[in-house]
Amino acid sequence: QVQLVESGGGLVQPGGSLRLSCAASGTIFNINRMAWYRQAPGKERELVAAIPGGGSTKYADSVKGRATISKGNANTVYLQMNSLKPEDTAVYYCNVLIIGQYGLEEYWGQGTQVTVSS
């Protein structure tokens, strides 16, 4: 079993910045991909950014140039968001694809609220 702990959400003014963190723990033999998704009220969950075990990062068109996804130590992934807009308001979810004790496994975090408002 794998646990994901997210942090860093909150209320931010338009034009501001924040950094989301997600730490994965448990039985993890290899991480295939770490990603951030978001879901705004009344909308479907969408991919914000992803970073594979190898290869290049991927960003949604709506955040290109404003978001940076990166890996830290100890199975941690970060999402730095700059120049935030009200339309970035959503619940942000961490998502990981790993090779664990059951083979290829996928896990979601509990979500962290990001509100962009003056």
Side-chain angles (χ1 to χ4, degrees), residues 2-115:
V2 172
Q3 296 78 40
L4 302 180
V5 178
E6 301 163 344
S7 61
L11 175 63
V12 184
Q13 290 190 341
S17 300
L18 57 73
R19 188 174 82 155
L20 304 180
S21 302
C22 173
S25 62
T27 304
I28 300 172
F29 299 131
N30 189 60
I31 293 182
N32 284 14
R33 191 189 81 155
M34 303 186 87
W36 287 95
Y37 286 74
R38 67 185 181 186
Q39 187 167 20
K43 295 187 176 181
E44 294 186 353
R45 191 173 296 189
E46 63 174 358
L47 177 68
V48 178
I51 184 166
S56 58
T57 54
K58 178 180 179 179
Y59 296 95
D61 289 342
S62 59
V63 302
K64 279 182 181 176
R66 302 188 297 118
T68 302
I69 188 170
S70 62
K71 287 182 181 178
N73 296 327
N75 298 331
T76 302
V77 63
Y78 303 100
L79 180 68
Q80 176 71 40
M81 294 277 293
N82 301 319
S83 302
L84 283 161
K85 306 174 182 180
E87 49 264 42
D88 293 318
T89 296
V91 178
Y92 285 69
Y93 296 92
C94 178
N95 171 268
V96 297
L97 289 173
I98 69 158
I99 303 298
Q101 59 183 329
Y102 304 113
L104 184 62
E105 303 170 18
E106 181 178 28
Y107 294 92
W108 291 89
Q110 79 282 3
T112 184
Q113 177 71 46
V114 172
T115 302

